[in-house]
Amino acid sequence: MADSVRPSPAKVALRTVQGSGPGTATSIDAPLVRAARRGDRDAFRRLHDRYARMVHAILVARVPFGEAADLAQDVFVLALARLDGLREDAAFGGWLAMIARNRAADFHRGKRETAELDEEAHAAPPRPTAEAAEVLAAIAALPEAYRETLLMRLLEGMSGPEIAAQTGLTPDSVRVNLHRGMKLLREKLDPAGDGEAP
Amino acid sequence: MSTPDDRRPGDRDDYLWDGSGTPDPEVQRLEGLLRPLRYQRAAPAAPARRSRAWRAPLAIAAALLVAAAGAFLAWRALGGAGGGGGGTDGTAAPGSALPAGLAAAGAPRSWAVTLLAGAPSWSGAGAGGARLERLAVGAWLETDSATRANIEVADIGHVELEPNTRVRLVETRPDEHRLALARGTIHAAVSAPPRLFLVDTPSATAVDLGCEYSLAVDPVSGIGRLEVTRGQVELDAGPGRPPAFVPAGMACETRPGRGPGTPARPGASAAFRTALAALDFEGGGDAELVVALAEADSADALSVWHLLAHVAPAARARVYDRLADFYAPPAGVTREATLALEPAALARWRDKLLRFLPGTFCVPGTVCGAPL
């Protein structure tokens, strides 16, 4: 095993749990997916808690903010119903992301089928402030790959390694998306470039 | 005045990448604007799954459960539990997974081990011979610089071992599964009731409260570092020392002779984290407390809560006032009770603060309701 640059134990901890390499976050999913497939509600809840931010960010990147939370709930109900069709349990994150993107596309096509949700699930999402709405609009105008990644980072508070682990993108790709996306976002928010990026 | 672009690009990218490095003011501003809009909902109450493919395994599982229970009772009747403990190998129904020879002899309680890379070394009783695939109670498992391994923690989760890691299976029984981490790094993912899975380190015990986390122990200093990615972990250094509650998104250091310090967000300001380290481990005093309280923001409220029990009584009121800047006291909790460190008052505060943190969850009557 290449061992030329070994990070400190703390760094290792971050990289491994949140990384996308073999036997890491994705393999942690597999037992949860199997359990959820057997009807284990707690496992389903844990998968939801793990991936909800990613799903929400993907949806916010594609639909009006006020619709995204409801659609995110739909995505998880759909995912549970289709879990038997997932061939590779460890690929759950990428598979779920695809369902989220398809759900957003369905939304725009007018297919608004929703699952029955409980009272809490129907709670209205928070309303963005004018300034936050401006930022969301600026992000919405970015290329798709940057939109999703930036929303996961800035809106949902996910770290780069976490985004890579959940989406299946390579850490390098995520890093590039973040860097370029943030550069474009700075330019959109401050076109005059006052004190901002070159 | 320094602007974000005065710094080297890598520094700014580090903050954008994982919250480390010098904070980028613009990124921080955007985080602050968007944070209130984060997804906060609980998992939907999903309808029952209709898949036939789901029903068949359930029926099979039920049948196997009945059969396993029968086998277990028969095994117990024959005195198969061996010495101590609860009489299960903690991984599967007795006899279902152990090598035949070990099972026939009354197998020691053990966990399954899968190699992810390389080949680990073993020691102690019940390691399983040349083709080592189970870790028995009392046995050590050590990975070298090229080895990674996965241990199934009974039927409640698993632990991955990084290279250069040494662990011992201390105990496995229905009410306790305990590992000792002497050095190196592990990553644990456990789905079980709180306080069932524990990891001893040289300076504290990590008590699982339903979570995923990484735990590293420096081979020289014995200093431990816990980083929680899901749920919560308690770091407990024994009587007389306040435990640390570390929820998802926070990290905590623990040192031999001192126990756990104050958990903090990796994304908290560097000045804040430096001040906490000084207060926890380096004899820091009033100057460091002033910095810590000034640098804290509402996302650091749980760190501030920990300081209540860490600082001298004379300084406690200032910590309380800062905490109250962020959140109103829980209903029925007084300033006096909090300053007196009454366990019920502190627990109510902690539960309230945890509810504002993403990625954590409370199990009524267990995690959040647990007394200090």
Side-chain angles (χ1 to χ4, degrees), chain B residues 140-228:
Chain B
W140 288 95
L141 173 62
E142 184 168 348
T143 57
D144 62 18
S145 63
T147 303
R148 293 162 47 86
N150 180 80
I151 302 174
E152 293 296 325
V153 180
D155 57 356
I156 63 171
H158 69 121
V159 169
E160 292 180 17
L161 274 62
E162 284 287 331
N164 300 312
T165 297
R166 180 173 167 82
V167 298
R168 183 169 70 93
L169 175 52
V170 177
E171 182 58 277
T172 181
R173 61 183 193 228
D175 62 343
E176 180 181 310
H177 303 285
R178 185 182 289 263
L179 201 62
L181 172 61
R183 63 171 180 270
T185 303
I186 64 170
H187 312 289
V190 171
S191 179
R195 303 183 182 281
L196 197 60
F197 176 62
L198 306 96
V199 180
D200 295 331
T201 75
S203 58
T205 296
V207 182
D208 175 276
L209 300 178
C211 56
E212 295 169 16
Y213 63 88
S214 295
L215 185 60
V217 170
D218 184 88
V220 177
S221 66
I223 292 174
R225 180 173 170 79
L226 169 73
E227 298 185 9
V228 180

Side-chain angles (χ1 to χ4, degrees), chain A residues 1 3 6 9-14 16-18 22-24 27-28 31-32 36-42 44-46 48-53 56 65 69-70 72-73 76-77 80-84 116-118 120-129 131-132 135-136 139 150-151 153-157 159-161 164 166 171 174-175 178-179 182 185-186 189 195-198, chain B residues 3-5 9-10 12-20 24-54 57-58 61 116-117 145-148 150 152 158 160 162-164 184-192 210-219 225 227-230 266 358-361 363:
Chain A
M1 169 182 286
D3 202 15
R6 173 140 323 272
K11 286 287 187 186
V12 166
L14 268 180
T16 303
V17 160
Q18 298 179 339
T24 58
S27 70
I28 291 172
L32 291 176
R37 189 180 285 124
R38 292 193 302 267
D40 183 331
R41 298 296 174 89
D42 185 59
F44 172 64
R45 179 185 59 76
R46 288 171 67 85
H48 169 274
D49 291 352
R50 171 193 279 274
Y51 284 100
R53 293 176 299 159
H56 188 239
F65 177 81
D70 282 349
Q73 298 263 308
F76 280 96
V77 173
L80 182 65
R82 299 174 182 174
L83 212 46
D84 293 329
E116 285 188 23
L117 303 174
D118 57 23
E120 184 181 4
H122 280 300
R127 181 184 291 272
T129 63
E131 201 174 1
V135 173
L136 289 175
I139 294 175
L150 272 184
L151 285 166
R153 174 67 183 85
L154 299 175
L155 170 63
E156 301 297 341
S159 70
Q166 293 202 2
V174 173
R175 193 154 198 153
L178 285 174
H179 177 78
M182 191 64 208
L185 182 60
R186 285 182 209 274
L189 293 175
E196 291 301 323
Chain B
T3 71
D5 297 292
R12 186 176 64 189
D13 278 357
D14 282 347
Y15 182 76
L16 183 60
W17 173 242
D18 62 4
S20 66
D24 182 322
E26 178 65 358
V27 173
Q28 284 188 311
R29 184 183 77 86
L30 296 175
E31 287 176 309
L33 273 175
L34 299 180
R35 184 179 293 120
L37 305 178
R38 284 182 185 173
Y39 184 82
Q40 299 283 351
R41 293 187 181 180
R49 304 189 67 239
R50 299 187 180 89
S51 162
R52 289 182 180 177
W54 171 69
L58 184 64
L116 302 177
S145 63
T147 303
R148 293 162 47 86
N150 180 80
E152 293 296 325
H158 69 121
E160 292 180 17
E162 284 287 331
N164 300 312
T185 303
I186 64 170
H187 312 289
V190 171
S191 179
C211 56
E212 295 169 16
Y213 63 88
S214 295
L215 185 60
V217 170
D218 184 88
R225 180 173 170 79
E227 298 185 9
V228 180
T229 49
R230 183 67 60 189
T360 62
F361 54 87
V363 180

